[in-house]
Amino acid sequence: MNDNLNSTTQPLTRKEIKDLKVLLQFTEVYCRVKHEGAKLSITTTEPELQALSLKKHPVCKECREFLLYAMQRRLCCPLDDKPVCKHCPVHCYKPEYRQKVREIMRFSGQYLIRRGRLDLLWHYFF
Ligand SMILES: [Zn+2]
C-alpha cells in the first residue's frame, strides 16, 4: 500500500487549467461585487499552479482560502479521467464549498451576461 501523499499530485491538464482559470475569474467578479475588505492575489508555491496567472485575480481572504482549497482538490483528485465535477462520484468539495461554487457560478454568470461579457462565458461553456 503506497500512501505517499505526493504520489497523488499530478500535473494539471489543459482542461483543468482552463477550469481553474474560469473559477478564478468568476470568483474575482463575485468577490469584487459582494465582498468588502482588502483584495490580494493568491500566492502558492505549488509548481502546478504557476500556470494560472494568479496575480491577475485579487480576492478577499475568505475567497483566497476557498480558491486554494478548490485548487488543492483539483491537484489531488483521485480520478484519472475526470468526469465533469458536477457528475463526479467522489464529490471532493466540502458541502459548504460546493454551495459556494454554485453561488459564485450563478451570480457571476448573470453578472457577466448583464455586462455583455459573453466572451468570458463562451470560454466557460465551450
Ligand atoms: Zn471575497
Side-chain angles (χ1 to χ4, degrees):
M1 178 115 179
N2 177 8
D3 51 14
N4 175 3
L5 273 181
N6 287 328
S7 69
T8 61
T9 301
Q10 308 275 342
L12 293 171
T13 62
R14 280 180 55 203
K15 167 88 171 72
E16 287 170 308
I17 288 173
K18 199 182 95 169
D19 284 354
L20 287 174
K21 280 184 171 173
V22 167
L23 185 64
L24 280 165
Q25 175 78 59
F26 275 46
T27 305
E28 186 205 337
V29 168
Y30 178 86
C31 185
R32 192 169 60 215
V33 179
K34 301 271 261 189
H35 292 161
E36 313 221 321
K39 310 281 197 284
L40 288 170
S41 51
I42 297 164
T43 50
T44 170
T45 53
E46 293 282 359
E48 286 86 355
L49 299 178
Q50 304 306 316
L52 289 172
S53 316
L54 294 171
K55 287 200 184 74
K56 289 189 195 155
H57 301 289
V59 291
C60 75
K61 184 168 182 291
E62 179 194 325
C63 291
R64 285 200 298 282
E65 279 166 14
F66 160 72
L67 284 171
L68 276 172
Y69 176 85
M71 291 188 288
Q72 285 298 338
R73 295 260 58 81
R74 262 316 173 87
L75 284 177
C76 298
C77 182
L79 298 179
D80 250 350
D81 191 14
K82 293 181 188 63
V84 177
C85 278
K86 213 171 12 183
H87 305 298
C88 175
V90 174
H91 285 314
C92 49
Y93 283 20
K94 291 193 281 193
E96 67 197 86
Y97 279 142
R98 282 220 299 278
Q99 181 63 35
K100 193 170 164 79
V101 170
R102 271 201 292 271
E103 193 187 335
I104 286 172
M105 288 306 181
R106 189 172 56 229
F107 175 86
S108 295
Q110 288 167 358
Y111 181 88
L112 291 171
I113 287 169
R114 283 203 305 275
R115 296 288 161 122
R117 294 306 309 271
L118 291 171
D119 53 323
L120 292 172
L121 287 178
W122 187 265
H123 287 299
Y124 176 52
F125 289 111
F126 297 97

